[in-house]
Amino acid sequence: YRVVLYNDDHNTMDHVVSSLLRCVPSLLATVAERIMLEAHTTGRATVISCLKEQAEYYCERLQTCGLTATVEPA
């Protein structure tokens, strides 16, 4: 499964990057920045692909930070 992050008009780019790093500890800062920019420019970006339970966990954590995220089959 993959966690998908969507662009929104409410969160700053810095907030998105820091939330990604806090919620998905395996991400590097450069990867978090790339994910944020991809979501910003294309409307959505894959954050991580993993097992369903992990994906749901990461998705919920991102949502608690005010980000829009979903889980999709990979």
Side-chain angles (χ1 to χ4, degrees):
Y1 287 82
R2 68 175 159 244
V3 179
V4 180
L5 174 70
Y6 294 88
N7 186 47
D8 65 52
D9 296 328
H10 307 291
N11 293 295
T12 65
M13 293 179 175
D14 287 338
H15 174 71
V16 173
V17 171
S18 64
S19 297
L20 286 166
L21 292 172
R22 190 174 340 108
C23 296
V24 187
S26 63
L27 291 179
L28 299 173
T30 54
V31 175
E33 289 174 12
R34 181 193 56 77
I35 292 166
M36 177 276 297
L37 285 173
E38 183 179 336
H40 180 71
T41 57
T42 68
R44 59 183 273 154
T46 297
V47 176
I48 192 169
S49 293
C50 53
L51 296 174
K52 184 178 182 181
E53 292 77 18
Q54 274 185 308
E56 290 170 343
Y57 173 73
Y58 291 141
C59 182
E60 288 174 14
R61 289 190 68 182
L62 291 169
Q63 290 169 347
T64 64
C65 291
L67 304 181
T68 303
T70 59
V71 175
E72 300 178 350

